[in-house]
């Protein structure tokens, strides 16, 4: 760790009389007050990572730079750092969970247009965490993020339309938003859209399309998708019936503690 100390400045000769100027002290920057490590990490986050973050990626940000460095950057006005710091507080990364601080920092970033903060703050409203629960406010925030192209914003807004939370239930709009998010690689949107195809809600029932969507998410390790794809193999819906493939996918889901995978695993033996 390099400390940027306020070492005394060299004397300066003035008007040839060589009187020594008074040294001015520069505040010491320690690991806890230097925003540069966090800014370096933030500069490396891609647009796709902002659009579709996952919990593993976000937790890793807390180990790639000291959480205190994100705070220093946030207090210096960096909107990205404010959003990430808010998430850290909501998830208990780098310290105890603090819902009030999470809301404070997320709101600050969300009000300045940060899509990631808008989605996370929307989730807090949807769950009533640190704020009075409001599906209407959650939808407002999701929409702000979705309109900026945020995949997680599109997925969450689609879910709100599917379930009729904060908006009138509208399967057509849910399908439209899920498709946008799924095309960006959102595994949750791929599964939710696959469910609509499997059930024939908002679209014509199409097990083959459901299987295709589940497979996209399953191959990226998403447990729910693995369980759903395994069930289609077991039932021979949208794919040729294959109990070996069914066991393969359901076992992978169960290994991740996915409830559906665990529940269905026993039925295959």
């Amino acid at each position: 760790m390099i400390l940027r100390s306020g070492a005394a400045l060299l004397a300066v000769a003035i008007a040839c009389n060589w009187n020594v100027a008074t040294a001015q002290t520069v505040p010491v920057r320690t690991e806890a007050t230097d925003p540069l490590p966090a800014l370096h990490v933030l500069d490396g986050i891609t647009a796709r990572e902002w659009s579709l973050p996952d919990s593993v990626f976000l937790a890793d940000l807390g180990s790639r730079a000291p959480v205190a460095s994100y705070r220093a950057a946030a207090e210096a006005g960096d909107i990205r750092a404010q959003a990430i710091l808010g998430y850290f507080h909501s998830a208990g990364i780098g310290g105890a969970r603090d819902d009030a601080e999470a809301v404070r920092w997320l709101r600050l970033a969300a009000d300045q247009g940060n899509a990631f903060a808008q989605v996370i703050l929307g989730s807090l409203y949807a769950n009533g965490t640190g704020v009075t629960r409001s599906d209407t406010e959650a939808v407002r925030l999701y929409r702000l993020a979705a309109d900026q192209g945020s995949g997680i914003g599109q997925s969450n807004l689609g879910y709100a339309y599917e379930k009729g939370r904060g908006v009138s239930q509208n399967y057509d709009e849910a399908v439209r938003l899920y498709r946008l998010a799924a095309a960006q690689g959102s595994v949750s949107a791929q599964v939710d859209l696959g469910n609509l195809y499997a059930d024939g809600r908002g679209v014509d029932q199409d097990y083959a399309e459901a299987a295709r969507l589940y497979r996209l998410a399953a191959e990226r390790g998403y447990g729910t998708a693995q369980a759903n794809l395994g069930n289609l193999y077991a039932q021979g819906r949208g794919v040729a019936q294959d109990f070996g493939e069914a066991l393969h996918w359901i076992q992978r889901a169960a290994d991740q503690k996915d409830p559906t995978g665990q529940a269905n695993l026993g039925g295959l033996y």
Side-chain angles (χ1 to χ4, degrees):
M1 178 179 66
I2 299 174
L3 297 181
R4 299 182 176 182
S5 64
L9 300 176
L10 293 177
V12 179
I14 301 176
C16 297
N17 61 11
W18 303 101
N19 290 329
V20 177
T22 302
Q24 297 184 5
T25 302
V26 177
V28 176
R29 274 188 176 180
T30 67
E31 189 175 71
T33 61
D34 191 351
L36 291 179
L39 292 175
H40 178 72
V41 172
L42 292 167
D43 287 342
I45 301 177
T46 66
R48 177 181 172 80
E49 289 170 330
W50 278 119
S51 179
L52 294 169
D54 60 45
S55 57
V56 174
F57 162 73
L58 291 169
D60 182 56
L61 294 183
S63 63
R64 289 166 58 192
V67 173
S69 181
Y70 290 98
R71 178 176 297 279
E75 290 174 343
D78 189 276
I79 300 171
R80 303 164 305 170
Q82 293 166 353
I84 292 297
L85 183 62
Y87 175 79
F88 285 170
H89 280 299
S90 73
I93 295 175
R97 182 174 134 181
D98 189 331
D99 293 333
E101 276 293 278
V103 170
R104 181 172 78 88
W105 286 110
L106 289 169
R107 194 185 306 282
L108 183 60
D111 287 348
Q112 295 177 82
N114 183 276
F116 171 79
Q118 289 163 348
V119 172
I120 303 303
L121 183 58
S123 298
L124 297 186
Y125 272 103
N127 294 304
T129 304
V131 292
T132 301
R133 178 174 171 173
S134 173
D135 289 332
T136 301
E137 181 62 6
V139 164
R140 184 187 74 83
L141 288 160
Y142 293 155
R143 193 183 305 281
L144 288 173
D147 287 347
Q148 295 186 64
S150 166
I152 190 173
Q154 293 163 347
S155 181
N156 285 13
L157 184 58
Y159 186 82
Y161 273 106
E162 179 190 346
K163 302 300 182 183
R165 292 184 56 177
V167 289
S168 298
Q169 190 176 53
N170 186 329
Y171 288 126
D172 290 341
E173 186 64 2
V175 168
R176 184 186 75 83
L177 288 159
Y178 283 153
R179 281 176 173 159
L180 289 173
Q184 293 196 61
S186 168
V187 292
S188 61
Q190 288 164 351
V191 168
D192 289 335
L193 183 57
N195 291 341
L196 295 184
Y197 273 105
D199 297 338
R201 290 178 290 135
V203 290
D204 292 334
Q205 191 173 54
D206 187 338
Y207 286 116
E209 180 62 6
R212 184 188 73 83
L213 288 160
Y214 292 154
R215 190 182 305 279
L216 288 173
E219 289 177 344
R220 292 176 58 196
Y222 194 49
T224 302
Q226 293 168 343
N228 289 359
L229 181 59
N231 288 340
L232 291 185
Y233 271 110
Q235 298 164 13
R237 291 181 169 178
V239 292
Q241 191 173 48
D242 186 328
F243 289 108
E245 277 293 288
L247 178 59
H248 167 75
W249 288 112
I250 291 175
Q251 182 69 65
R252 287 184 63 179
D255 288 345
Q256 295 189 64
K257 311 298 183 185
D258 178 81
T260 302
Q262 292 175 322
N264 293 339
L265 186 60
L268 293 177
Y269 289 98

